[in-house]
Amino acid sequence: MLRNKEGASVKKYCEICQKEVDTKIISQKETYEVCKEPVEVDAQILVCAECEEEFYCEELDNATLCKAYQEYRRKHKLLFPDEIQKIREQYGCSQRRFAKLLNWGDKTIHRYENGSIQDKAHNSLLLFLRDPKNMRVYLTENEVALEPGQKEKLLQTVEELERGNQNQEDKEFVRRFFGETPSIENGFKPFDYEKFCAMVLYFANKSAGLLKVKLLKLLNYSDMVFYQENGVSLSGARYVHLPYGPVPKHYDILFGMMAADGIAHIEVEFDHGYEKHQVIPDRGIPENVLSEAELDVLERIYQKFADFGSVEISNYSHQEKGYRATKQGEVIAYSYAKDIRLQGTS
């Protein structure tokens, strides 16, 4: 039933019934021609409630025409108007400036964003430029009708978008590679890369000359003790049994990611023929990432092992029940956290 603004049924004069009648809306298949191609859609038609004679209704006809246009776009894999608008807006351009950038007519983008069907060549260019990396290529390899200042500002926007996209790709990689259903193996917490990096930076900034072997044990004790006290791990990392003690699973990949992100890196030094893998922080301890309770646990672990070398803390970790009860390569479940007894940690 079509209703007016006051909520009453819309009445029309029916030529067949020869009187003013109530109306209703029915659905039926109709074919519209879009870009010289027939497109069939489910149309809503205003009809007489008594004899179903059809009435003209601009609102319903426009809605059906829009539906036909949308169906044509879906069939030919063309961008929708809101998608075109989103591409333009991500670069901070007005409709006029974006058209100028693409060497199109002043009103072209306006028409496309308001429902006109774009040609396939224009659609292909818009699809190409949706990726900021491609926009950089376009700006550097084509003459564009923009002022130098406008071009420079656009390049800055492209750089910010690229950086944001890289961060999203990194997060997606972490989610796919480390993301697991919360269980006793990860302390009932999905892996949190940001927390893990904050833990690394905490110990690396407080411990001069910190070696990787010791850091990996500090991380394990921090996660286990936090789980012991709170019923959930701090970082969501899984720890495995290796010859030098418990270590985060895939820690080599994590350290590679941290180096690429400019968070921390490993420097190899040689001392009397032996390699020393020193952890070098590239940032300070981050603010507002770790809670007071988390910082408290990290500080207690740091203080407990402040005077331990890598060999000492490795030997110490070998005495833990979780390490002794597992074989090389096996995950040390957080259920063993209850067996950890460290003087000064609670």
Side-chain angles (χ1 to χ4, degrees):
M1 185 80 68
L2 188 66
R3 298 184 180 275
N4 58 26
K5 293 180 180 179
E6 287 71 35
S9 171
V10 172
K11 291 184 177 292
K12 292 276 189 179
Y13 183 82
C14 178
E15 295 287 348
I16 303 298
C17 299
Q18 294 290 301
K19 64 178 180 178
E20 192 173 69
V21 296
D22 289 329
T23 59
K24 64 179 183 180
I25 297 173
I26 62 171
S27 294
Q28 65 183 37
K29 295 287 186 182
E30 287 207 347
T31 300
Y32 280 69
E33 187 174 280
V34 181
C35 299
K36 299 182 180 180
E37 180 179 313
V39 177
E40 186 179 70
V41 293
D42 289 320
Q44 289 191 310
I45 311 296
L46 186 68
V47 299
C48 170
E50 297 182 19
C51 70
E52 295 198 351
E53 171 71 3
E54 293 186 12
F55 296 119
Y56 170 73
C57 177
E58 183 178 8
E59 180 183 347
L60 293 178
D61 282 1
N62 286 341
T64 302
L65 181 60
C66 287
K67 189 181 292 187
Y69 273 39
Q70 300 295 66
E71 184 60 33
Y72 180 87
R73 290 187 179 95
R74 272 189 288 271
K75 181 179 178 181
H76 292 279
K77 295 181 174 57
L78 298 175
L79 289 163
F80 288 81
D82 61 321
E83 292 177 313
I84 296 174
Q85 181 179 348
K86 188 176 180 180
I87 293 171
R88 172 180 63 80
E89 289 180 345
Q90 77 171 338
Y91 296 114
C93 292
S94 65
Q95 291 179 340
R96 183 182 179 85
R97 181 176 296 177
F98 199 55
K100 192 175 182 181
L101 168 69
L102 303 178
N103 296 312
W104 294 351
D106 288 350
K107 301 294 184 181
T108 304
I109 293 295
H110 175 78
R111 289 190 293 103
Y112 290 165
E113 290 185 10
N114 282 274
S116 294
I117 300 288
Q118 67 272 27
D119 65 47
K120 292 184 178 180
H122 282 183
N123 191 76
S124 295
L125 181 57
L126 288 167
L127 281 170
F128 177 76
L129 296 180
R130 183 157 57 180
D131 187 336
K133 292 179 183 178
N134 293 335
M135 176 60 85
R136 180 182 293 280
V137 172
Y138 179 85
L139 288 170
T140 55
E141 295 188 1
N142 293 275
E143 289 188 15
V144 294
L146 295 179
E147 298 295 328
Q150 293 175 337
K151 183 177 178 180
E152 183 61 33
K153 184 178 179 180
L154 183 53
L155 281 169
Q156 291 175 1
T157 301
V158 168
E159 185 174 339
E160 291 172 3
L161 289 169
E162 287 177 329
R163 190 160 51 244
N165 285 352
Q166 185 60 53
N167 289 339
Q168 286 299 116
E169 289 173 7
D170 290 345
K171 288 179 181 178
E172 180 63 16
F173 173 80
V174 170
R175 188 190 69 78
R176 288 179 177 273
F177 200 85
F178 296 94
E180 292 188 348
T181 302
S183 69
I184 193 63
E185 289 194 352
N186 54 25
F188 297 104
K189 178 176 181 175
F191 181 69
D192 189 326
Y193 178 65
E194 187 178 25
K195 292 266 191 194
F196 186 87
C197 292
M199 293 167 70
V200 170
L201 289 172
Y202 184 88
F203 290 122
N205 277 283
K206 288 180 70 72
S207 309
L210 177 64
L211 298 185
K212 182 173 69 175
V213 170
K214 180 176 179 178
L215 170 65
L216 298 177
K217 308 304 166 289
L218 294 174
L219 295 171
N220 175 251
Y221 275 116
S222 298
D223 261 322
M224 288 290 178
V225 171
F226 192 82
Y227 178 87
Q228 183 187 75
E229 298 176 359
N230 298 275
V232 65
S233 65
L234 202 161
S235 73
R238 288 177 297 157
Y239 291 88
V240 295
H241 178 128
L242 287 187
Y244 291 105
V247 300
K249 192 170 185 179
H250 305 305
Y251 71 87
D252 49 346
I253 294 176
L254 288 169
F255 274 94
M257 290 172 59
M258 285 189 285
D261 293 339
I263 294 169
H265 67 280
I266 304 297
E267 287 187 1
V268 180
E269 296 181 354
F270 292 91
D271 184 11
H272 298 93
Y274 292 95
E275 285 188 8
K276 288 187 174 181
H277 294 244
Q278 187 172 335
V279 184
I280 307 298
D282 295 316
R283 301 181 188 178
I285 300 172
E287 298 180 358
N288 304 318
V289 175
L290 298 165
S291 68
E292 289 297 323
E294 291 166 342
L295 288 168
D296 178 67
V297 168
L298 295 181
E299 180 61 21
R300 282 187 275 140
I301 297 300
Y302 166 73
Q303 292 293 342
K304 169 65 183 179
F305 295 106
D307 297 326
F308 281 59
S310 293
V311 174
E312 291 173 292
I313 195 171
S314 288
N315 291 337
Y316 194 98
S317 69
H318 289 176
Q319 304 309 309
E320 299 294 351
K321 184 176 179 180
Y323 188 80
R324 289 187 285 110
T326 52
K327 298 177 182 179
Q328 183 163 330
E330 291 183 344
V331 173
I332 303 172
Y334 280 84
S335 53
Y336 290 108
K338 66 180 185 299
D339 300 303
I340 292 177
R341 296 289 183 267
L342 295 178
Q343 183 181 2
T345 61
S346 60

